[in-house]
Amino acid sequence: MRITALAGGVGGARFLRGLLHHARRTAPQTSGGNDSDRLELTVVGNTGDDITLFGLRVCPDIDTLLYTLGGGVHEGQGWGRADETHHVAEELAALGAEPQWFTLGDKDFATHVHRSQLLGQGMPLSAVVDRLSARWGLPEQGVRLLPMTDTPVETHVVVEEAGEQRAIHFQEWWVRHRAALPAERFVVAGLDRATAAPGVLDAIREADVVLLPPSNPVVSIGIILGVPGVRDALRGSRAPVVGVSPLVGGRPVRGHADVCLRTIGVEESSAAVAGLYSDFLAGWLVDEDDPMPDRRGLEVLRRPLLMSSVEAAADMAGAALDLGLRLRAERASA
Ligand code: FO1
């Protein structure tokens, strides 16, 4: 069974960890269960968060997916490594190196050093991600992680300060300013010239089901949808696309999806987020307390959407997957 997911950072990674847990706990116990049931997951990761710091290329959403699915993530933060130390960052601060508002741990630095070393040798980002995925044992779990594009792109935020507009990097807005600086709009430098990374469009076209985890619909999934060809592939895919609302009661479970939706002039509701995907969405999970969106042709399921544990995430991901498989079966018999 081939599943493709478009994912951003913490919420997407936790959802996909739940999906893998769901697959393991429902796998046929008999040995040699026919391979067609084995879950093969392709994750298309957002690279709009990427930033160059201290001369190193940092890919926050890709790294959050690697560390979470690979079992090395700092669970409380949802990003960065568990059991970290910060000697390099402390020395950089002593040297007066900027910026100091983005916390990089020592083990995390190794990822950025090696990635920058390989990129510097001319290796495309997708090949670098393959190397990092191998270190984290993703292939053994049947997981292939692809950056959405090998083209360097960066999400910047146009902010208004003292009556003048200027663009700052998304991470500075998100981390340093906690998304509290009024944002005029998002600009993704390089996206219009980007091409989907090798395998991305085929993974969407050839999937049995495509899943949209509860990642930020504007600055994570929205950015992936902006890669030329991705939206058309979703529209034309034989796979039903099933998404999970990132809002519960109109509020994001974590992060600042509400602020991002307001910035693009979209209502902060799960129905409005489903509207952003309406040209390809077939199924939608909303929290059990949320109003049912009355969208024709959209199959809506009510489920608890708080991923308070891996088991809860597995229940949620399992429900999304089962909805996708049901919709696929209905299409096949139509
Ligand atoms: N998020 C923060 O809120 N504060 C940080 O200092 C921070 C550092 C950081 C370092 C590496 C990394 O991969 C992610 C990091 N994040 C941090 C999360 C990052 O901002 C993500 O892009 C967002 O969480 C959105 O996915």
Side-chain angles (χ1 to χ4, degrees):
M1 173 175 31
R2 288 174 298 189
I3 309 299
T4 296
L6 309 185
V10 181
R14 285 181 171 160
F15 175 87
L16 292 172
R17 180 173 62 183
L19 179 68
L20 294 173
H21 185 72
H22 167 77
R24 278 191 294 271
R25 70 182 184 185
T26 53
Q29 301 318 319
T30 54
S31 64
N34 58 333
D35 273 1
S36 68
D37 284 348
R38 185 172 184 275
L39 185 144
E40 289 170 30
L41 174 64
T42 299
V43 184
V44 179
N46 169 43
T47 59
D49 280 12
D50 296 3
I51 183 170
T52 297
L53 294 170
F54 313 110
L56 301 174
R57 195 65 176 156
V58 179
C59 302
D61 279 355
I62 294 292
D63 295 351
T64 294
L65 287 160
L66 284 168
Y67 295 163
T68 303
L69 301 183
V73 76
H74 183 298
E75 198 58 42
Q77 288 173 177
W79 49 266
R81 289 286 300 277
D83 311 322
E84 258 295 15
T85 51
H86 297 85
H87 303 297
V88 175
E90 284 153 14
E91 189 53 28
L92 284 167
L95 289 163
E98 289 295 334
Q100 294 172 22
W101 43 262
F102 198 76
T103 307
L104 290 169
D106 297 329
K107 289 190 273 190
D108 198 27
F109 259 113
T111 302
H112 312 318
V113 166
H114 191 44
R115 173 167 42 228
S116 304
Q117 176 186 17
L118 296 176
L119 289 172
Q121 291 163 1
M123 189 180 280
L125 181 60
S126 45
V128 175
V129 171
D130 278 346
R131 292 283 190 89
L132 301 175
S133 297
R135 182 260 181 268
W136 286 102
L138 268 53
E140 290 80 353
Q141 295 185 67
V143 177
R144 182 175 56 142
L145 175 57
L146 304 174
M148 66 188 202
T149 176
D150 282 336
T151 313
V153 293
E154 288 187 0
T155 303
H156 291 176
V157 187
V158 176
V159 295
E160 172 103 11
E161 241 187 342
E164 60 175 71
Q165 291 195 352
R166 64 193 178 93
I168 61 174
H169 191 284
F170 166 77
Q171 292 297 347
E172 181 168 1
W173 180 70
W174 187 270
V175 175
R176 187 180 194 184
H177 299 289
R178 297 259 166 266
L181 215 50
E184 298 295 314
R185 62 188 182 284
F186 298 109
V187 175
V188 191
L191 192 57
D192 49 349
R193 290 188 310 280
T195 51
V200 166
L201 299 183
D202 286 345
I204 293 170
R205 292 187 191 113
E206 293 162 15
D208 293 309
V209 174
V210 175
L211 295 176
L212 301 185
S215 293
N216 188 307
V218 180
V219 293
S220 291
I221 292 185
I223 304 298
I224 302 172
L225 294 178
V227 174
V230 167
R231 211 166 186 125
D232 289 343
L234 287 164
R235 284 193 195 114
S237 176
R238 65 201 177 106
V241 182
V242 174
V244 179
S245 175
L247 301 180
V248 172
R251 301 276 305 127
V253 174
R254 62 169 281 124
H256 315 289
D258 49 349
V259 176
C260 296
L261 286 164
R262 212 176 303 144
T263 301
I264 64 168
V266 171
E267 179 195 289
E268 298 132 61
S269 71
S270 61
V273 174
L276 289 175
Y277 306 143
S278 61
D279 49 329
F280 55 77
L281 195 68
W284 187 239
L285 266 66
V286 296
D287 187 70
E288 42 202 358
D289 300 333
D290 263 33
M292 279 292 238
D294 60 346
R295 290 192 173 277
R296 283 167 302 291
L298 182 65
E299 188 90 9
V300 182
L301 268 188
R302 282 181 187 285
R303 282 291 183 285
L305 295 190
L306 287 180
M307 294 186 283
S308 45
S309 67
V310 175
E311 289 300 325
D315 294 344
M316 187 171 138
L321 176 58
D322 290 348
L323 174 56
L325 292 172
R326 175 160 62 80
L327 290 171
R328 185 168 180 278
E330 284 169 11
R331 282 185 182 183
S333 60

